Amino acid sequence: MFLFQVGAIIGRQGSTIRQITQQTRARVDVHRKDNVGSLEKAITIYGNPENCTNACKHILEVMQQEANNTNKGDICLKILAHNNLIGRIIGKGGNTIKRIMQETDTKITVSSINDISSFNLERIITVKGTIENMSKAEAQISAKLRQSYENDLQAMAPQTMMFPGLHPMAMMATAGIGYGSRGLYAGQAPYPGIYPAGAPTGAVETPETTYLYIPNNAVGAIIGTKGSHIRNIIRFSGASVKIAPLDESRPQDAQAERKVTIVGSPEAQWKAQYLIFEKMREEGFVAGADDVRLTVEIMVPSSQVGRIIGKGGQNVRELQRVTGSVIKLPEQGAAAATEDETTVHIIGPFFSVQSAQRRIRAMVLQSAAPPTGRQRSRSAAPKEQVSQSSDAPSQAQP
């Protein structure tokens, strides 16, 4: 992802950007709605490495022509990279960045770590030199970013089994800014691949609804001054986040918690919930040495409650053991017979409740998946079908 003044790049009625796309066979996306009022906008380039570099070079040529026409002098290239990548771009004792500068005859600087926050995890790599040399430097920097990203993604793969149905980049987007330094991913260095490495594939985008309960006295911190913090949560996560108002029919001191409704894809859910947990931790809503523990509710089909509980409660006990969260469901057979959905209460720190949510939703999705091959009657169900559901009571099967 790069920063440019985009007017000249887009061209009249988009003619210039179309020409660049056609010539380089790379997709060029201009984030015009970001940083409203700023002259510089982010541009993401998708494609194979060579095409991305060619597109970047064409953009630099357009920018230099515009600078010449307006007497603005030389231009520079600004590359956005996640903070967790910067160490490997700089290298031990600055060796990597020095080598790139020497080989490409450019000057390369990196913005201060003080510029990052929970909502902006990127630093700016600024490259100065001729267009030809800046293009060479960009190719080397992007190659290093891609290599580091792929290495860390591979190292993280075994851990993604804890979170079925969730693309690893959702976890990467939040690791290393609080919980990541001392939680489940301690020692790892994951991050979101939002530079020219391509968009994620296989990500599940089906919207989910989750209810998160926060202490009433924490609502102000979550909302922020004039709504600034909750707007940032919505913007960063891509989820809808709404805090329920106080119930005027009940005394205020009797309302210890407020319900937060979060609607979004699994990735959006992860990010929004993470930022709420993180804010609670920053504000000191912890019990002694324990981490922040909140209650999360998800809705599941009532017909699946028996499957989640398992024979004699063995499934739910295993879920609690593996995830480290407390999971509360209605007594077996008592799941609201008149209701289509039943509430599952999950209590624990962030990574625990995330793991429990993903596992329970995966169980529901697996059960709802259509059978493969020729449809068979229940009486003729194959042995492997029976063995799959043998740990759940018969009345819980759909």
Side-chain angles (χ1 to χ4, degrees), residues 119 218-233 243 279 283:
F119 301 106
V219 171
I222 297 299
I223 294 174
T225 306
K226 296 182 180 180
S228 59
H229 192 77
I230 197 167
R231 281 198 303 271
N232 278 333
I233 292 174
I243 301 177
K279 187 62 176 177
E283 296 294 324

Side-chain angles (χ1 to χ4, degrees), residues 53-65:
T53 293
N54 287 338
C56 182
K57 186 177 180 181
H58 276 68
I59 291 171
L60 288 171
E61 290 169 349
V62 171
M63 291 305 303
Q64 186 61 69
Q65 184 62 47

Side-chain angles (χ1 to χ4, degrees), residues 122-251:
E122 295 163 315
R123 302 208 7 224
I124 300 174
I125 303 169
T126 302
V127 184
K128 295 182 179 180
T130 65
I131 289 178
E132 187 68 29
N133 290 341
M134 284 192 290
S135 181
K136 291 178 182 177
E138 178 277 320
Q140 291 197 33
I141 291 169
S142 292
K144 184 67 176 177
L145 293 175
R146 279 189 293 269
Q147 180 187 17
S148 300
Y149 168 71
E150 289 164 3
N151 289 346
D152 285 353
L153 189 62
Q154 186 175 11
M156 193 176 182
Q159 300 176 21
T160 64
M161 294 175 67
M162 286 287 288
F163 307 93
L166 181 69
H167 194 277
M169 284 169 60
M171 293 177 270
M172 293 173 178
T174 52
I177 53 170
Y179 286 94
S181 61
R182 55 198 196 102
L184 184 63
Y185 301 113
Q188 301 292 336
Y191 45 81
I194 49 178
Y195 45 87
T201 57
V204 179
E205 295 299 334
T206 305
E208 301 172 348
T209 300
T210 304
Y211 306 102
L212 179 65
Y213 289 84
I214 61 174
N216 194 46
N217 57 351
V219 171
I222 297 299
I223 294 174
T225 306
K226 296 182 180 180
S228 59
H229 192 77
I230 197 167
R231 281 198 303 271
N232 278 333
I233 292 174
I234 293 167
R235 179 176 174 272
F236 182 84
S237 68
S240 166
V241 182
K242 295 181 180 178
I243 301 177
L246 283 168
D247 186 348
E248 296 182 358
S249 64
R250 298 172 57 205

